[in-house]
Amino acid sequence: MAGLLEGRRGLIMGIANERSIAWGIAKSAQREGAELALTFAGEMLEKRVRPLAAELGSEIVLPCDVQVDSDIEAAFDSLGEHWDSFDFLVHSIAFANRDDLKGRFVDTTRDGFALALDVSVYSLIATVRAALPLLRPGGNILTMTYLGGERTIPHYNVMGVAKAALESAVRYLAADLGPSGVRINAISAGPVRTLAAAGIGDFRKILDWYEQNAPLRRATTQDEVGDAALMLLSDWGRSITGEIVHVDGGYHSVAVPPAAEDVE
Ligand code: NAP
């Protein structure tokens, strides 16, 4: 039987290593027949991303720091030299200063706020705009969010505000892109041990709490997020856009998230 993404081409942004959520999505997409291109953020990362690209059989590996407009432009220009069009874009990128991911939200600095919102939200808008000329009608975009955008989660702080803005951006972009047949959605993943998660204060305790209280009583894995992403990236999700899909073992439906004292 042909794979769900047979004959489709996708660009995956945000693989830092084999723990990245984007790596889980890339593996699922490749298994279902997609041809993939990857971006990496800096020279240090290139060393880690190239072997992963080889594992996926991806020959297109492009530099792209999403804080730099000319990087975004150059990445999509290069992509256009390899592919005349493509089918899906995965944006799995976020950043905030470590100091802003612990303690009190009220202490967030102006610079820290701007940085978190720039890398984690504006980057989606900028990359989608750059991708549109190459994206096929019927194509789609997927980004990654977290429950901390809907509710207060201890230490998530400025990243929670960034995720709320990201989710709103998904809805506005869905309204813009829908008439040309392009969809955009977000997956709200449960906590997964990754490089980005390591920057969040008391992440281990948040993960323990989740494992004890999520209806499925276990952590979400990169592979589970990857498999759930297939529905949104493929024609199976063809009428879904502007949506936030929770892939978190049902945790978002639990009435009582941890209080700050529970993770101290
Ligand atoms: P990750 O492996 O550390 O991935 C984050 C990616 O963002 C890295 O590849 C990182 O590259 C990239 N990035 C940061 N700044 C960048 C920039 N200026 N330009 C280009 N790329 C940049 O962590 P992850 O947990 O998989 O995170 C992926 C997404 O999932 C994020 O949006 C995150 O908020 C979301 N998410 C994570 C969890 C979780 O518990 N892990 C749960 C829900 C949602 P560098 O390493 O070079 O900075």
Side-chain angles (χ1 to χ4, degrees), residues 201-259:
D202 283 331
F203 182 78
R204 178 67 248 178
K205 289 182 185 167
I206 288 172
L207 197 58
D208 287 347
W209 178 275
Y210 174 93
E211 286 171 357
Q212 286 156 21
N213 293 282
L216 291 183
R217 296 288 194 277
R218 58 182 169 77
T220 305
T221 67
Q222 289 85 341
D223 290 349
E224 288 170 337
V225 176
D227 284 352
L230 293 174
M231 192 258 289
L232 296 170
L233 297 177
S234 71
D235 290 345
W236 284 5
R238 63 193 173 280
S239 86
I240 303 174
T241 194
E243 199 62 64
I244 314 302
V245 177
H246 293 88
V247 181
D248 65 354
Y251 184 73
H252 66 283
S253 65
V254 172
V256 191

Side-chain angles (χ1 to χ4, degrees), residues 13-17 19-23 39-42 45 48 64-68 91-95 119-120 143-147 156 159 163 166 187-197 200 203 222:
M13 306 181 79
I15 297 179
N17 56 32
R19 283 177 175 252
S20 296
I21 291 177
W23 175 240
T39 65
F40 61 91
L45 268 197
R48 270 185 273 149
C64 185
D65 178 342
V66 293
Q67 282 196 280
V68 183
H91 170 282
S92 185
I93 289 174
F95 186 79
V119 178
S120 316
T143 188
M144 297 302 309
T145 187
Y146 178 57
L147 187 61
Y156 204 57
M159 193 50 78
K163 292 306 190 192
L166 183 79
I187 283 182
S188 182
V192 180
R193 269 176 176 283
T194 62
L195 263 187
I200 301 166
F203 182 78
Q222 289 85 341

Side-chain angles (χ1 to χ4, degrees), residues 7 35 43 56 78 90 107 142 164 183 192 212 219-221 251:
E35 187 186 344
E43 274 173 34
L56 296 170
S78 302
V90 175
D107 295 324
L142 177 64
R183 300 182 291 113
V192 180
Q212 286 156 21
T220 305
T221 67
Y251 184 73

Side-chain angles (χ1 to χ4, degrees), residues 90-129:
V90 175
H91 170 282
S92 185
I93 289 174
F95 186 79
N97 285 327
R98 232 167 219 269
D99 283 350
D100 290 323
L101 297 173
K102 61 182 185 195
R104 302 188 314 166
F105 171 64
V106 72
D107 295 324
T108 308
T109 61
R110 189 182 294 274
D111 285 351
F113 185 90
L115 175 67
L117 274 282
D118 184 34
V119 178
S120 316
V121 188
Y122 184 74
S123 67
L124 176 70
I125 302 162
T127 51
V128 166
R129 190 169 55 240

